[in-house]
Amino acid sequence: MTLLQTHISADPAAPLARRNPVAKIGAALLPLLALLVSVDPVTSTLLLAAALASVPAWGLRWRGLVRRLWPLGLAVAMVALGNAVFTDRKGGETLLDLGPLLVTTESLAAGAVAGLRVAAIALPGVLAVLTIDPVDLADALVQQLRVPPRFAYGSLAAFRLAPLTAAEWEVLGRSRRARGLGGDRNPFAAASVLAGRLFALLVGAVRRGTQLAAAMDARGFDSTAQRTSARRQAFARADAALVAGSVALTAAAVTLAVVTGAWNPVLG
Amino acid sequence: MAQSRSQDQTDHLGRQRWRTVDIVVASVLGVTFGLLFAVWNNLIYTTVSGPLDGTPTGPLVAGVWLLPAVVGGLVIRKAGAALYTEVVAATLSIFFGSVWGLSVFMSGVWQGLGAELVFALLLYRRWGLGAAVLAGGGAGVAMGVYEIIVSVPQYSADWKLVYVLCAIATGLVVAGVLGHLLVRALARTGVLASFASGRTQSEI
């Protein structure tokens, strides 16, 4: 059992991949917020279609994306099915009737909208994050959003420990195996070995974090003096255009939903 | 008199200011739980909890997402620690292949706020089992409410209630009780020596 670090190849020179990380996240977050407000097929379909259409502009390939996102497909299907079964909109023709398990045309439609909406909520953020490098993100958070640098770079330092921690996970598993632990077919025995391995990982991580903090303090990380940046993150016109495009797209989708009467506030 | 009050205030502020070790260890806890999330996403989510996703009992296996908020709060014992740790964990799991994108970030913010609010209501002075369980419950409420908006908006009101109650139950038990035991076990190993949470529980 490995900690998968699924890397996906993206073309870093693609028009949207080159944008400022803060702009990418802002552009992906806006449709998400609009979708949270309403449950309707119009906004969901339009925003999902826009996200799908933007895939090549992020420099992502369909094959890699599908390989990476198949669990999303599974989850979307389950969300649609669950909503169809447990909704109280049971009008229309009966499609399946097994006592409490009743699916009708209307409930199936309700489920399909819920599934579509969840896919539209997830996809833009996935595309944006797949093309963001954590180092660029930390720089942009500090330089564009004025996030306190101690927190941005402190968490970046911990992010950089992640591959080390993942490697340690392997070592812990092998050392346990060498002592005859692990490899059980009984899931309860396997879970207990796994819990011990996770705890050891956590202890090691905290210890390493404490040492890292001491080393960072020794180099003046806690200093209150004015900081300068070694790497500049620019927020150019194209970045503003990306955010503006997202605003326009979201506004258009919401307007269309309201005009067609499909708009349906989730808390209404 | 006035001087002693200002002394008190600076002491209080001093206790609340995050030291480097607070920031880095909270981040490292977030990253480690984020890796756990990645394992969960790649193995358990696709086999166990994914198929349960749309059912009212789905949240019962989701308590693991709330652990970083409780553990971060209990270890660091500073204002904002629960929220920060949960957000770092959520962010790492996005970078390591969560298929839910920025929705995970939003979940992290709400769940962290749920736990943070409980610690704040206890004035950042209670860190025992009771506080842990309540914080887990707070995170559970936040998770339940956010998920009925995102995942199961079409449920009937009764089933939505069942869904939220399941989320609260998992928050109380998995995040609260398990989180408390985890922090106590961490304190026993001695790695929390730089924190108040590691000093109060020394055993003979």
Side-chain angles (χ1 to χ4, degrees):
Chain A
M1 176 170 152
T2 52
L3 280 169
L4 288 181
Q5 294 187 45
T6 35
H7 185 73
I8 189 160
S9 64
D11 174 14
L16 291 182
R18 280 180 13 228
R19 300 279 65 83
N20 184 299
V22 169
K24 288 182 195 172
I25 287 180
L29 212 51
L30 266 163
L32 192 158
L33 295 175
L35 285 163
L36 285 186
V37 180
S38 166
V39 191
D40 68 81
V42 176
T43 13
S44 305
T45 310
L46 283 176
L47 292 176
L48 183 61
L52 287 172
S54 74
V55 166
W58 295 99
L60 295 166
R61 299 229 184 79
W62 285 104
R63 264 171 61 131
L65 204 60
V66 169
R67 204 177 303 140
R68 176 75 170 256
L69 292 183
W70 68 266
L72 180 64
L74 174 74
V76 165
M78 291 319 293
V79 164
L81 212 58
N83 276 287
V85 171
F86 295 100
T87 182
D88 53 2
R89 291 160 57 184
K90 299 282 190 182
E93 259 177 71
T94 302
L95 297 174
L96 178 72
D97 188 359
L98 298 172
L101 204 72
L102 174 71
V103 178
T104 68
T105 44
E106 189 183 342
S107 75
L108 202 63
V113 172
L116 203 62
R117 173 169 171 266
V118 135
I121 285 177
L123 194 60
V126 173
L127 298 180
V129 173
L130 278 176
T131 61
I132 290 178
D133 177 62
V135 178
D136 294 342
L137 178 61
D139 288 336
L141 284 177
V142 170
Q143 291 169 32
Q144 267 83 44
L145 290 187
R146 306 273 164 226
V147 168
R150 287 199 312 150
F151 285 88
Y153 292 119
S155 57
L156 181 62
F159 259 60
R160 288 252 169 121
L161 290 182
L164 218 61
T165 308
E168 191 168 299
W169 173 255
E170 290 296 313
V171 173
L172 284 169
R174 281 186 204 150
S175 63
R176 255 146 233 268
R177 201 71 197 86
R179 284 184 284 142
L181 296 166
D184 302 88
R185 291 203 173 266
N186 175 356
F188 291 101
S192 124
V193 173
L194 194 64
R197 192 171 160 194
L198 271 170
F199 183 67
L201 186 74
L202 205 56
V203 171
V206 172
R207 187 169 287 140
R208 193 176 294 132
T210 312
Q211 290 167 352
L212 179 64
M216 285 160 78
D217 266 343
R219 286 161 181 77
F221 184 72
D222 208 16
S223 151
T224 48
Q226 182 70 40
R227 280 170 203 269
T228 52
S229 312
R231 300 173 297 259
R232 299 295 304 171
Q233 277 291 333
F235 195 90
R237 261 194 209 140
D239 299 310
L242 172 60
V243 177
S246 169
V247 171
L249 197 69
T250 310
V254 170
T255 314
L256 204 64
V258 172
V259 168
T260 55
W263 185 256
N264 171 30
V266 71
L267 300 172
Chain B
M1 198 64 176
Q3 195 179 1
S4 89
R5 184 182 296 156
S6 81
Q7 185 70 45
D8 272 1
Q9 268 172 2
T10 47
D11 274 4
H12 188 69
L13 284 176
R15 268 210 312 275
Q16 280 306 322
R17 185 176 189 269
W18 287 53
R19 303 165 295 162
T20 304
V21 69
D22 295 326
I23 296 175
V24 175
V25 170
S27 307
V28 162
L29 283 173
V31 165
T32 312
F33 277 107
L35 287 171
L36 168 64
F37 289 176
V39 174
W40 189 274
N41 275 331
N42 292 324
L43 275 129
I44 301 169
Y45 189 80
T46 47
T47 53
V48 182
S49 73
L52 280 176
D53 233 11
T55 71
T57 51
L60 285 179
V61 284
V64 68
W65 307 116
L66 311 174
L67 265 173
V70 175
V71 171
L74 292 181
V75 167
I76 310 294
R77 297 192 176 182
K78 297 262 156 98
L83 176 61
Y84 177 76
T85 310
E86 181 72 45
V87 168
V88 170
T91 309
L92 188 108
S93 90
I94 304 174
F95 276 107
F96 277 70
S98 164
V99 295
W100 290 102
L102 291 175
S103 181
V104 174
F105 175 79
M106 297 285 285
S107 300
V109 170
W110 292 121
Q111 292 161 10
L113 276 176
E116 187 69 45
L117 195 65
V118 172
F119 287 129
L121 286 174
L122 298 170
L123 303 173
Y124 298 108
R125 289 204 177 142
R126 294 271 176 280
W127 308 104
L129 177 62
V133 169
L134 285 176
V141 173
M143 174 170 80
V145 172
Y146 182 70
E147 285 302 319
I148 61 170
I149 293 175
V150 173
S151 296
V152 294
Q154 307 281 26
Y155 271 29
S156 65
D158 296 350
W159 285 118
K160 278 184 182 167
L161 188 67
V162 173
Y163 194 93
V164 174
L165 289 178
C166 284
I168 296 174
T170 190
L172 294 173
V173 177
V174 177
V177 177
L178 206 63
H180 172 76
L181 294 176
L182 196 57
V183 174
R184 213 175 56 175
L186 273 179
R188 279 189 190 146
T189 65
V191 286
L192 301 182
S194 350
F195 300 92
S197 51
R199 286 191 289 270
T200 50
Q201 290 168 330
S202 58
E203 292 187 6
I204 303 159

